[in-house]
């Protein structure tokens, strides 16, 4: 089967569930259907792999350190909260 | 902001439990220890929500002040971290400043379907195949952070909580007061949006 003659309806159904598939939030039957479809449809397989990679990039994006000056400022603000107004 | 009072609910004793108990029993100087624990993660969460450093810093200050104000009412019905992010997200949502980088628009699933795009892919591109550690660098981190900021806030909140902060679907739903299915819909669209941006980035760069 080529990407030109694959089952478009099945393709659309799969497309809607790709994130749940990646997150392991689908039942076994739905997972098996997606795996089978992706094995036979280059367009959907590509979509799945690029989406998986997008998620992986997001999960590995680096954090920035807190600027020391802000950290000091935050400490001062916390120390100066009127303690009687709350706790 | 205050957790519901439910005497039958079992208390969740996470890593912050004892510290919060101490603060709530009068050792208010320990509040800064709690701030130090979450300062780094909240700073980055705020940066991804606010775009510029000054707004992010305002958001963190406001969040911690609200946490201080309402900590006595925290009932341990969820992890403290989840409650903290609920306060932060609520602070963020209230700051409804219009930004030219993030117009509040809906993302349609149809826009991302391969059949509706100009070129239906016939192979998996290199950027999705090569080992992840060879792909990740400062420039890519900066690009993905910029593209996250270009997402409308309702989608941005979900993808940041799920894929960057690592909250589950259920936890994200609780933090944002959404249904789990709504979280899934927004997450999927946000991921597809970012995937398209990454595709453009790598294609333009001819990697």
């Amino acid at each position: 089967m080529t990407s030109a003659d694959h089952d478009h309806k099945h393709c659309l159904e799969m497309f809607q569930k790709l994130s749940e598939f990646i997150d392991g939030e689908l039942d076994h039957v739905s997972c098996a259907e997606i795996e089978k479809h992706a094995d036979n449809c280059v367009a959907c397989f590509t979509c799945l792999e690029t989406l998986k990679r997008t998620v992986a990039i997001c999960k590995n994006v680096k954090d920035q350190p807190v600027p020391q000056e802000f950290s000091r400022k935050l400490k001062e603000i916390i120390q100066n909260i009127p303690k009687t107004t709350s706790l | 902001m205050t957790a519901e009072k439910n005497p039958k609910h079992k208390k969740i004793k996470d890593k912050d439990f004892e510290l919060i108990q101490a603060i709530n029993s009068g050792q208010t100087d320990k509040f800064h220890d709690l701030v130090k624990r979450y300062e780094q993660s909240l700073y980055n969460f705020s940066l991804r929500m606010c775009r510029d450093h000054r707004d992010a810093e305002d958001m963190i200050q406001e969040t911690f002040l609200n946490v201080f104000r309402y900590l006595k009412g925290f009932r341990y019905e969820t992890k403290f971290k989840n409650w903290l992010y609920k306060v932060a997200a609520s602070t963020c949502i209230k700051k409804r400043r219009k930004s030219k980088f993030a117009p509040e628009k809906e993302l349609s699933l149809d826009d991302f379907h391969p059949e509706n795009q100009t070129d239906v892919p016939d192979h998996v591109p290199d950027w999705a195949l090569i080992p992840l550690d060879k792909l990740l660098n400062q420039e890519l981190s900066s690009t993905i952070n910029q593209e996250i900021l270009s997402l409308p806030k309702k989608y941005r909140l979900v993808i940041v909580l799920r894929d960057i902060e690592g909250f589950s679907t259920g936890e994200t739903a609780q933090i944002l007061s959404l249904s789990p299915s709504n979280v899934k819909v927004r997450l999927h669209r946000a991921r597809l949006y970012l995937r398209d941006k990454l595709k453009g980035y790598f294609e333009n760069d001819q990697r």
Side-chain angles (χ1 to χ4, degrees), chain B:
Chain B
M1 221 74 80
T2 309
E4 280 176 34
K5 292 178 183 179
N6 181 357
K8 287 179 187 169
H9 206 287
K10 195 181 169 189
K11 285 184 177 181
I12 294 176
K13 295 190 177 179
D14 61 7
K15 68 182 173 73
D16 301 313
F17 182 80
E18 287 179 10
L19 183 55
I20 296 167
Q21 291 272 79
I23 297 165
N24 281 344
S25 65
Q27 298 177 59
T28 50
D29 54 317
K30 288 191 183 248
F31 186 72
H32 186 248
D33 296 344
L34 198 59
V35 171
K36 287 306 285 179
R37 273 186 199 179
Y38 290 102
E39 185 183 53
Q40 169 82 21
S41 58
L42 213 57
Y43 181 73
N44 281 276
F45 175 68
S46 303
L47 273 185
R48 290 183 179 108
M49 287 302 121
C50 301
R51 188 169 189 270
D52 80 51
H53 288 251
R54 227 179 69 180
D55 281 354
E57 290 176 2
D58 284 351
M59 184 181 149
I60 300 168
Q61 284 177 35
E62 219 170 299
T63 299
F64 280 123
L65 287 174
N66 279 329
V67 167
F68 184 82
R69 196 169 295 139
Y70 297 109
L71 194 63
K72 199 83 176 173
F74 180 61
R75 303 288 162 201
Y76 310 95
E77 292 177 353
T78 180
K79 287 179 194 165
F80 171 74
K81 184 183 174 186
N82 297 21
W83 184 71
L84 171 68
Y85 272 79
K86 193 176 178 71
V87 177
S90 166
T91 306
C92 171
I93 290 164
K94 281 176 191 162
K95 284 183 179 289
R96 287 196 177 277
R97 291 181 195 158
K98 294 279 180 193
S99 163
K100 63 179 176 178
F101 292 95
E104 287 299 315
K105 58 176 184 182
E106 293 291 330
L107 298 178
S108 165
L109 206 56
D110 292 343
D111 296 339
F112 304 115
H113 192 262
E115 299 299 323
N116 294 339
Q117 296 186 335
T118 48
D119 50 339
V120 177
D122 57 5
H123 69 282
V124 180
D126 285 349
W127 66 272
L129 292 173
I130 61 172
L132 190 62
D133 58 349
K134 289 192 176 164
L135 199 68
L136 292 167
N137 57 33
Q138 196 58 46
E139 187 189 319
L140 181 59
S141 275
S142 170
T143 299
I144 198 80
N145 277 329
Q146 278 304 116
E147 296 303 353
I148 286 169
L149 279 164
S150 72
L151 271 164
K153 196 178 268 183
K154 62 190 257 189
Y155 299 96
R156 197 173 354 140
L157 271 164
V158 170
I159 199 165
V160 170
L161 289 171
R162 284 284 285 113
D163 287 346
I164 296 178
E165 300 295 336
F167 290 105
S168 69
T169 299
E171 288 174 324
T172 304
Q174 200 179 35
I175 289 167
L176 298 177
S177 301
L178 295 172
S179 68
S181 59
N182 208 334
V183 167
K184 288 179 186 181
V185 166
R186 291 186 191 188
L187 177 65
H188 189 42
R189 291 177 191 189
R191 284 175 174 174
L192 288 166
Y193 175 91
L194 289 184
R195 185 198 62 139
D196 274 10
K197 298 292 181 187
L198 284 172
K199 188 170 160 253
Y201 167 74
F202 285 110
E203 280 174 4
N204 288 338
D205 224 28
Q206 293 183 325
R207 286 166 196 238

